[in-house]
């Protein structure tokens, strides 16, 4: 018995809806802290918002970007856990390339994306970061603590603006 094209389409849609309703297996999403630990010599734990405090007395901290340093963002309404990213290249005092996870999309890894210091003082306290969904720098700045330097870098070569106090 032949069915009409409409009936075949309807039964195909019902079958598709049934398949789509079956939950997909849970997949672990890469978080920014996991990415930063795996891709830098800064080995801290806890939420990204806590890395700046956890680095106190363990790593040198400052506000001058250096390759291999971790840029620590403050918690905000849109980022309640904060964020961390690894500096991959310094272009100049106000422009760097960073690599990080979980910024543009949940679990997404982005390598070598632009971050720009938009603070009045040039101290990296306000940063705009490349945002893939818009294909541009983010619409609003994000607050940052500064940079956490790997132990292989000393305070003397981290720049004159380096400090150990927040």
């Amino acid at each position: 018995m032949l069915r009409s094209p409409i009936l075949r389409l309807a039964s195909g849609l019902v079958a598709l809806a049934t398949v789509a309703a079956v939950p997909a297996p849970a997949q672990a999403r890469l978080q920014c802290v996991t990415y930063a630990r795996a891709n830098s010599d800064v080995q801290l734990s806890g939420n990204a918002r806590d890395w700046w405090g956890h680095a106190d007395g363990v790593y040198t901290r400052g506000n001058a970007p250096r390759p291999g340093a971790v840029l620590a963002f403050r918690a905000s309404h849109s980022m309640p856990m904060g964020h961390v990213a690894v500096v991959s290249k310094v272009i100049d005092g106000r422009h760097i390339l960073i690599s990080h996870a979980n910024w543009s999309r949940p679990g997404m890894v982005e390598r070598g994306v632009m971050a720009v210091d938009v603070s009045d003082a040039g101290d990296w306290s306000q940063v705009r970061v490349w945002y893939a969904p818009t294909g541009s720098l983010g619409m609003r700045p994000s607050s940052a603590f500064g940079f956490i330097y790997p132990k292989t870098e000393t305070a003397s070569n981290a720049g004159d603006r380096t400090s150990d106090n927040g």
Side-chain angles (χ1 to χ4, degrees), residues 25-115:
Q27 209 174 26
R29 292 185 173 157
L30 189 60
Q31 299 295 319
C32 64
V33 293
T34 306
Y35 182 87
R37 264 195 312 272
N39 291 280
S40 78
D41 290 329
V42 176
Q43 299 299 301
L44 295 169
S45 59
N47 292 319
R49 67 179 177 215
D50 301 324
W51 274 39
W52 187 257
H54 290 175
D56 188 25
V58 179
Y59 294 95
T60 303
R61 303 177 301 172
N63 57 0
R66 299 285 181 253
V70 172
L71 176 57
F73 290 85
R74 295 177 182 272
S76 67
H77 178 70
S78 59
M79 290 188 312
M81 297 300 147
H83 187 71
V84 288
V86 180
V87 178
S88 49
K89 181 176 183 177
V90 176
I91 297 170
D92 60 35
R94 295 267 189 162
H95 299 84
I96 60 175
L97 299 181
I98 59 172
S99 296
H100 59 166
N102 210 32
W103 182 268
S104 291
R105 282 195 271 295
M108 179 178 175
V109 171
E110 296 173 286
R111 292 180 180 89
V113 296
M114 182 68 69

